[in-house]
Amino acid sequence: MNLSGIIGYPVTPFSQDNKQVELNKLGDVIDVLLEAKVDAIAALGSAGEAAYLSEAEWKQVAEYTVRHVAGKVPVVIGIAELTTEQAVRKAQHVYQIGADAIMLSPFSYYKLSEAEIFQHYETVASASPLPIMIYNNPATCGVDMSPEFMLEMVERIPNASMIKESTGDIQRMHKIYTLSDGKVPFFNGCNHMALEALNAGATGWCTAAPCLIGDKPKQLYDAVKQGENEKAKELFYRQYAFLEFIVSSGLAAAVKSGLALQGNDVGNPRKPLLPLNERAQQRLQGMLEGLA
């Protein structure tokens, strides 16, 4: 499977009492992403509040996403578990329900050694034939993997075939590109670095932004790939304040507030996360109006 382009991340809608996942509303969010011309859907990442779901809810969301997308674009499912056994169980489930790829993060309470991380990926990869995206996001997972180590895993673990880099350090993307001679696909997971990352050779951009601003991320991606540098720069700087805002405000809270402002109420993020306060909502509304 050749994954590239804009990988759209849906939020997970909850009921008003915050106790149940609202699957019909999840379908609405997925439809918004498909209308925004995303090239794949990645459910159950940090924007999808995967860490705040029970295992039953996690399975509900994964299954519904695959069913609702119905092969229109590839479906990637995020897995981030403290234990390898839990990650294996979910990887097997993701394969059984017909997803196309796994985005695997090493989640840590104890500081993990490279040997432990390697074992984790190798064990999960052997449990499912699906391609694995190695996801480096130390801000949420507590594990920071070097470009050299991630490329070693790509080389030595058969199913590990691509990398998502979310530290916000553009030098790491340059290293992934140069050390692999541009042969290992890597994805930008840091919204406000999209232009730099795509110019550094990123295969795609993983983002929840299309939930709120339609195909503008896709337009930026296309402009870069077509060598339209001035157009790409203009598109990026139009989006920049918004991209920075949704990250600094918390992706789930910001995207859910934005959807509500656009008449698509998907509930609040799950506690302890808080929705945006009134001032932040007003700022977001102003940015969305400016991007309309």
Side-chain angles (χ1 to χ4, degrees):
M1 180 193 62
N2 293 320
L3 199 64
S4 64
I6 300 298
I7 317 300
Y9 283 64
V11 292
T12 301
F14 295 123
S15 56
Q16 289 304 309
D17 63 7
N18 222 231
K19 291 181 179 177
Q20 291 181 315
V21 173
E22 294 278 359
L23 293 176
N24 288 337
K25 290 184 178 180
L26 174 59
D28 293 340
V29 175
I30 291 170
D31 289 342
V32 167
L33 289 171
L34 292 173
E35 287 166 18
K37 302 176 184 176
V38 301
D39 299 286
I41 299 281
L44 296 162
S46 45
E49 297 178 75
Y52 302 102
L53 303 179
S54 69
E55 185 165 351
E57 289 174 329
W58 187 94
K59 286 182 176 179
Q60 272 187 315
V61 170
E63 290 165 13
Y64 183 89
T65 301
V66 171
R67 195 163 63 244
H68 191 83
V69 172
K72 296 181 183 76
V73 296
V75 172
V76 182
I77 302 293
I79 298 176
E81 297 294 332
L82 279 169
T83 72
T84 302
E85 182 184 1
Q86 290 169 318
V88 162
R89 194 162 62 238
K90 287 189 173 178
Q92 291 169 336
H93 185 72
V94 165
Y95 173 61
Q96 289 162 4
I97 63 173
D100 299 286
I102 293 166
M103 180 178 67
L104 181 62
S105 312
F107 202 74
S108 173
Y109 176 82
Y110 289 106
K111 184 175 174 60
L112 300 177
S113 67
E114 287 190 348
E116 289 166 332
I117 297 167
F118 187 96
Q119 175 187 254
H120 181 75
Y121 274 90
E122 187 175 45
T123 305
V124 175
S126 67
S128 165
L130 293 180
I132 288 176
M133 179 186 289
I134 298 169
Y135 182 16
N136 190 42
N137 189 4
T140 56
C141 294
V143 177
D144 191 3
M145 297 177 283
S146 70
E148 292 86 350
F149 176 62
M150 290 189 286
L151 289 169
E152 181 187 350
M153 287 200 288
V154 169
E155 186 179 342
R156 293 176 55 196
I157 299 173
N159 296 356
S161 56
M162 49 194 157
I163 292 169
K164 178 182 174 186
E165 170 56 51
S166 296
T167 59
D169 180 358
I170 192 67
Q171 297 306 320
R172 295 186 183 219
M173 296 192 188
H174 291 315
K175 268 198 170 177
I176 293 168
Y177 187 88
T178 54
L179 291 172
S180 72
D181 293 324
K183 292 175 183 172
V184 173
F186 68 94
F187 294 79
N188 172 51
C190 188
N191 278 300
H192 57 276
M193 274 181 50
L195 181 62
E196 290 173 280
L198 292 170
N199 281 325
T203 311
W205 172 16
C206 301
T207 178
C211 290
L212 300 179
I213 61 170
D215 69 348
K216 289 179 177 59
K218 178 67 169 175
Q219 290 178 34
L220 171 57
Y221 174 83
D222 288 344
V224 172
K225 293 303 172 183
Q226 290 160 13
E228 298 175 319
N229 296 332
E230 287 305 311
K231 181 180 178 182
K233 192 174 174 182
E234 180 189 349
L235 284 164
F236 175 69
Y237 283 114
R238 276 196 68 207
Q239 300 173 45
Y240 178 76
F242 164 79
L243 295 172
E244 191 176 43
F245 176 86
I246 61 172
V247 173
S248 62
S249 302
L251 275 176
V255 173
K256 286 185 169 184
S257 288
L259 286 168
L261 289 168
Q262 293 174 338
N264 190 2
D265 189 353
V266 294
N268 288 329
R270 189 164 268 178
K271 296 175 182 176
L273 300 180
L274 291 171
L276 297 191
N277 61 37
E278 190 174 339
R279 184 177 176 185
Q281 285 186 44
Q282 289 171 351
R283 189 174 167 213
L284 177 57
Q285 184 166 20
M287 286 188 282
L288 291 174
E289 288 171 357
L291 285 165

